[in-house]
């Protein structure tokens, strides 16, 4: 799907789900983030469960920021509204048994963020989304971030200099179309930036 535009926003991640489905099976050949990054980010190697899912959320954003810093980019600030959209995305995929950026209802990451408070008072805003899933030993934040980095479209979003905010959600389950037992973890991260009228005119 090509980039969509509406009210000044852009959805950059709407066509990436199929790529990640391939990446999820390729975790064995993907190098995890460095030991230093994992040491800095508490929970980088946890297997998500109901008891530690918030730690997995925070570790995922921490690892993304470590990657960005290593590439000379500013870190992303956690944003509650983007986090809520990410949570609704993983919940929707697991409960409605699908794996895609665009929901069966046709809702895109852009349209979901557009109805939140995130773009309030902004002349323009841009949104990107990465999703992933893993089972067995490949559910940790470290493996998921490494898989995103191994996929060119997802790496491009992660390393985009335009984004300023992010929201992460991890669910300790996967759609049963991906794993018949439903065990594993599903991830979503929303990237965003809000531009003022003066910045939007540049």
């Amino acid at each position: 799907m090509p980039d969509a535009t509406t009210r000044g926003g852009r959805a950059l991640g709407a066509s990436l789900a199929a790529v990640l489905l391939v990446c999820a099976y390729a975790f064995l050949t993907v190098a995890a983030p460095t030991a230093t990054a994992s040491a800095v980010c508490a929970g980088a190697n946890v297997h998500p469960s109901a008891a530690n899912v918030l730690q997995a959320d925070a570790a995922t954003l921490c690892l993304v920021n470590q990657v960005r810093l290593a590439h000379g980019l500013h870190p992303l600030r956690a944003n509650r509204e983007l986090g809520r959209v990410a949570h609704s995305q993983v919940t929707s995929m697991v409960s409605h048994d699908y794996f895609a950026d665009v929901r069966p209802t046709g809702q895109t990451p852009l349209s979901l963020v557009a109805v939140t408070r995130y773009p309030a008072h902004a002349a323009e805003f841009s949104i990107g989304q990465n999703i992933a899933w893993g089972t067995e030993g490949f559910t940790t934040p470290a493996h998921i971030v490494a898989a995103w980095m191994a996929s060119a479209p997802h790496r491009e979003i992660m390393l985009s200099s335009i984004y300023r905010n992010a929201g992460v959600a991890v669910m300790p389950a996967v759609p049963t179309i991906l794993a018949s037992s439903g065990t594993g973890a599903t991830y979503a991260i929303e990237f965003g930036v809000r531009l003022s009228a003066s910045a939007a005119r540049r």
Side-chain angles (χ1 to χ4, degrees):
M1 179 181 297
D3 290 350
T5 59
T6 181
R7 297 180 58 193
R10 288 193 305 137
L12 300 179
S15 62
L16 303 183
V19 178
L20 259 189
L21 190 58
V22 175
C23 280
Y25 283 114
F27 284 152
L28 284 173
T29 61
V30 173
T34 65
T36 301
S38 293
V40 169
C41 300
N45 296 306
V46 301
H47 296 281
S49 68
N52 66 19
V53 69
L54 294 180
Q55 185 182 29
D57 292 351
T60 303
L61 181 56
C62 178
L63 289 167
V64 168
N65 279 334
Q66 289 298 308
V67 170
R68 289 175 62 86
L69 288 169
H71 286 79
L73 299 169
H74 55 266
L76 302 171
R77 293 183 180 179
N79 178 271
R80 183 176 300 178
E81 296 297 330
L82 295 180
R84 286 173 178 161
V85 172
H87 184 266
S88 72
Q89 180 67 21
V90 293
T91 301
S92 176
M93 289 191 292
V94 172
S95 62
H96 296 289
D97 201 22
Y98 70 96
F99 182 76
D101 288 287
V102 180
R103 299 188 183 184
T105 57
Q107 293 169 294
T108 65
L110 181 67
S111 67
L112 293 168
V113 174
V115 296
T116 71
R117 292 178 56 84
Y118 183 75
H121 310 299
E124 293 185 5
F125 69 102
S126 293
I127 299 298
Q129 175 179 271
N130 282 352
I131 58 176
W133 63 276
T135 58
E136 298 181 359
F138 306 115
T139 63
T140 68
H143 275 102
I144 295 299
V145 172
W148 282 333
M149 282 299 290
S151 162
H154 299 88
R155 183 172 63 250
E156 181 179 358
I157 292 176
M158 282 178 56
L159 299 182
S160 172
S161 62
I162 68 169
Y163 295 121
R164 293 294 184 271
N165 313 112
V168 179
V170 182
M171 177 168 281
V174 297
T176 56
I177 60 165
L178 304 177
S180 58
S181 65
T183 58
T186 305
Y187 285 68
I189 179 168
E190 313 297 327
F191 300 85
V193 61
R194 295 171 284 203
L195 300 175
S196 64
S198 59
R201 288 194 297 269
R202 292 176 188 168

